[in-house]
């Protein structure tokens, strides 16, 4: 067994510490999102966040220089989690590109992405982004990250249709598709009870297939 001076033991301790510190950062981000959801951006003070996380305000400053940095990280995490949840739907074996596209759209238009609390947090942050460069930067990065995922899915679908879109065409499609998904997402978050299960996803898939100029599949009504 390696002793404390052995490189393997030292590497293991460093790995453990890195994982522990990353876990603490995530706990602080989660506590920040909870505090913002309950108290708003102004009410979510470092003291409030620290109490929710079960740490001292001083410890927060060990990981984040200030409240604005923590808010930026929390908003980036919120956006990133939604994108990752949607991307998980693409991990389908033996699925066609159109099936993968439909699954991606459906993931964006169902729980847990459609969620009143998630929408409230998003609206709270976006309302401040116009006056806060750090939040504006986090929003831009999150938006572009999601749009890049859309472009990749669209390129795969159109490639299967023997079409070779250039970068500008992919960009235009991704902007339009993002707008379709965003609009339906807002509808679902604000009034989920008005829609039957899967209704928004079906509308989204049909609208996006029309945007891409895809012909109805066999057995599907035009």
């Amino acid at each position: 067994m390696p002793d404390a001076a052995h490189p393997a033991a030292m590497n293991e301790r460093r790995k453990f510490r890195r994982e522990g510190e990353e876990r603490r950062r995530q706990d602080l981000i989660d506590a920040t999102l909870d505090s913002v959801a309950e108290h708003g951006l102004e009410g979510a003070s470092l003291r409030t966040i620290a109490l929710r996380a079960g740490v001292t305000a001083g410890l927060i400053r060990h990981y984040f220089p200030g409240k604005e940095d923590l808010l930026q990280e929390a908003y980036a995490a919120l956006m990133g989690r939604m994108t990752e949840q949607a991307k998980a739907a693409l991990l389908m074996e033996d699925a066609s590109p159109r099936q993968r596209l439909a699954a991606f759209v459906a993931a964006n238009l169902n729980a847990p992405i459609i969620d009143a609390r998630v929408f409230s947090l998003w609206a709270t942050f976006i309302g401040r982004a116009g006056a806060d460069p750090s939040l504006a930067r986090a929003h831009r990065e999150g938006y572009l990250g999601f749009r890049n995922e859309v472009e990749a899915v669209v390129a795969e679908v159109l490639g299967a249709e023997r079409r070779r879109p250039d970068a500008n065409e992919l960009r235009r499609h991704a902007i339009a598709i993002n707008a379709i998904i965003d609009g339906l997402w807002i509808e679902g978050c604000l009034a989920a009870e008005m829609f039957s299960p899967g209704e928004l996803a079906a509308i989204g898939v049909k609208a996006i297939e029309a945007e891409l100029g895809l012909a109805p599949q066999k057995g599907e009504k035009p």
Side-chain angles (χ1 to χ4, degrees):
M1 177 179 294
D3 59 28
H6 194 283
M10 295 173 66
N11 288 338
E12 190 64 29
R13 285 203 306 276
R14 281 196 291 268
K15 179 182 177 183
F16 179 79
R17 187 171 64 184
R18 284 197 303 270
E19 290 175 348
E21 290 188 348
E22 182 56 30
R23 180 67 262 167
R24 180 58 59 83
R25 285 178 62 88
Q26 290 304 314
D27 288 344
L28 291 173
I29 286 171
D30 289 341
T32 300
L33 292 173
D34 288 341
S35 296
V36 171
E38 184 174 347
H39 304 290
L41 288 173
E42 298 304 324
S45 64
L46 288 181
R47 181 175 180 276
T48 300
I49 295 167
L51 286 172
R52 186 172 289 272
V55 301
T56 65
L59 183 64
I60 293 179
R61 294 188 180 89
H62 172 74
Y63 293 94
F64 301 96
K67 177 182 172 180
E68 296 307 315
D69 303 271
L70 183 50
L71 290 177
Q72 179 184 351
E73 289 283 343
Y75 183 46
L78 179 71
M79 299 275 285
R81 289 171 187 176
M82 288 192 287
T83 298
E84 290 302 314
Q85 287 166 344
K87 282 172 60 180
L90 295 172
L91 302 177
M92 303 171 61
E93 293 185 6
D94 303 321
S96 70
R98 282 185 71 163
Q99 288 172 327
R100 282 161 45 80
L101 171 65
F104 179 80
V105 175
N108 278 286
L109 298 176
N110 280 293
I113 297 178
I114 280 190
D115 180 85
R117 178 181 179 276
V118 171
F119 174 79
S120 178
L121 280 168
W122 174 82
T124 298
F125 281 112
I126 203 68
R128 173 89 167 263
D132 187 324
S134 65
L135 290 182
R137 182 166 54 254
H139 176 74
R140 179 184 177 86
E141 291 173 355
Y143 166 74
L144 291 176
F146 181 78
R147 210 176 76 188
N148 287 341
E149 296 298 332
V150 174
E151 286 190 20
V153 177
V154 169
E156 184 181 4
V157 170
L158 296 185
E161 298 283 318
R162 300 183 184 279
R163 290 160 57 182
R164 296 179 178 273
D166 61 21
N168 285 331
E169 183 181 354
L170 286 176
R171 177 179 178 274
R172 289 193 300 272
H173 283 315
I175 291 170
I177 290 169
N178 183 74
I180 292 168
I181 291 174
D182 269 4
L184 292 172
W185 177 73
I186 291 172
E187 293 275 353
C189 289
L190 290 178
E193 73 284 355
M194 295 178 62
F195 309 103
S196 59
E199 183 177 8
L200 292 177
I203 292 170
V205 169
K206 189 169 286 292
I208 288 167
E209 288 183 342
E211 160 65 24
L212 297 177
L214 302 177
Q217 300 186 84
K218 187 176 181 180
E220 180 183 19
K221 293 182 180 180

